[in-house]
Amino acid sequence: MRTPETHPMSQQPPVYTPETLPDAETLYATLLAEVRQIVQTLPIQQVHIVGIHSGGAWLAARLHRDLKLVQPYGTLDISFYRDDFDKIGLHSQVLPSDIAFPVTDKHLILIDDVLYTGRTIRAAMHELFDYGRPASIRLAVLVDRGGRELPIAAVAVGGVVSPAPAGTLVLSQTDEGTLVLTIESKEN
């Protein structure tokens, strides 16, 4: 369970079982409120949201719009920064990273859909430091499913699923922009 040190912005995030996990739009509303609290504590002209492809990029675009942030947001494809790149190879849908602002001395809010082992976040931070040295990086995720292998924690969470589902949590987006969260079995 989270402690105030790992989740300082508000109360504990809601905890759900795989059976009671709400829809992605409900989780997004919680995440939006938490990210809004973070933004309010920072110098607004120095705040940029950065989403990890693909679910985190969709969330970043929505958060940027809903928070009415003036500074541009960015997206990362961490494929080349993964620590298992030599084992799994290159993903078939590699997208370019798009950071069109100076990272140095900025307060970045890194967005991802599902926090699991922490390895994706480690890769994203590695890539961000190739762009410059940010003043801070704060992590915000739609869902925390536990299972950390690295000492990484989010400060804004839409919801926690415990125990972790047997399958993979997958975020998708409809043509209308609605977020949909599903649990896919391991066989898929």
Side-chain angles (χ1 to χ4, degrees):
M1 200 62 181
R2 290 186 198 290
T3 65
E5 293 80 37
T6 60
H7 193 72
M9 299 314 295
S10 67
Q11 296 90 27
Q12 300 293 316
V15 178
Y16 305 98
T17 65
E19 297 76 30
T20 63
L21 191 64
D23 65 88
E25 291 296 331
T26 300
L27 293 168
Y28 174 78
T30 301
L31 180 64
L32 174 63
E34 297 234 349
V35 172
R36 179 173 280 121
Q37 286 182 334
I38 294 169
V39 168
Q40 290 171 348
T41 68
L42 299 169
I44 195 66
Q45 295 301 318
Q46 301 297 316
V47 175
H48 293 270
I49 290 180
V50 179
I52 301 171
H53 279 295
S54 60
W58 299 328
L59 291 165
R62 282 270 301 268
L63 288 164
H64 186 265
R65 182 194 72 209
D66 293 346
L67 293 168
K68 298 174 176 52
L69 296 176
V70 179
Q71 302 300 329
Y73 74 94
T75 59
L76 292 176
D77 186 319
I78 53 95
S79 297
F80 294 110
Y81 290 83
R82 294 186 57 92
D83 61 4
D84 59 357
F85 179 78
D86 61 333
K87 293 178 187 167
I88 65 169
L90 193 56
H91 191 277
S92 62
Q93 297 175 341
V94 174
L95 299 168
S97 292
D98 180 17
I99 306 291
F101 53 87
V103 167
T104 300
D105 296 329
K106 302 298 190 220
H107 295 279
L108 306 179
I109 302 173
L110 184 60
I111 310 293
D112 203 7
D113 50 359
V114 179
L115 178 56
Y116 184 26
T117 64
R119 293 181 181 279
T120 296
I121 305 310
R122 185 222 48 88
M125 290 191 301
H126 186 160
E127 182 172 354
L128 283 171
F129 274 92
D130 282 350
Y131 284 92
R133 186 177 187 274
S136 68
I137 300 174
R138 289 167 173 80
L139 177 60
V141 297
L142 188 66
V143 178
D144 182 341
R145 65 169 285 147
R148 219 73 74 242
E149 295 173 0
L150 299 173
I152 290 176
V155 296
V157 179
V160 174
V161 61
S162 182
T168 303
L169 290 166
V170 177
L171 184 66
S172 58
Q173 183 173 311
T174 68
D175 291 340
E176 296 78 33
T178 303
L179 299 169
V180 178
L181 186 67
T182 56
I183 300 174
E184 293 185 357
S185 65
K186 289 185 177 182
E187 294 85 46
N188 289 349

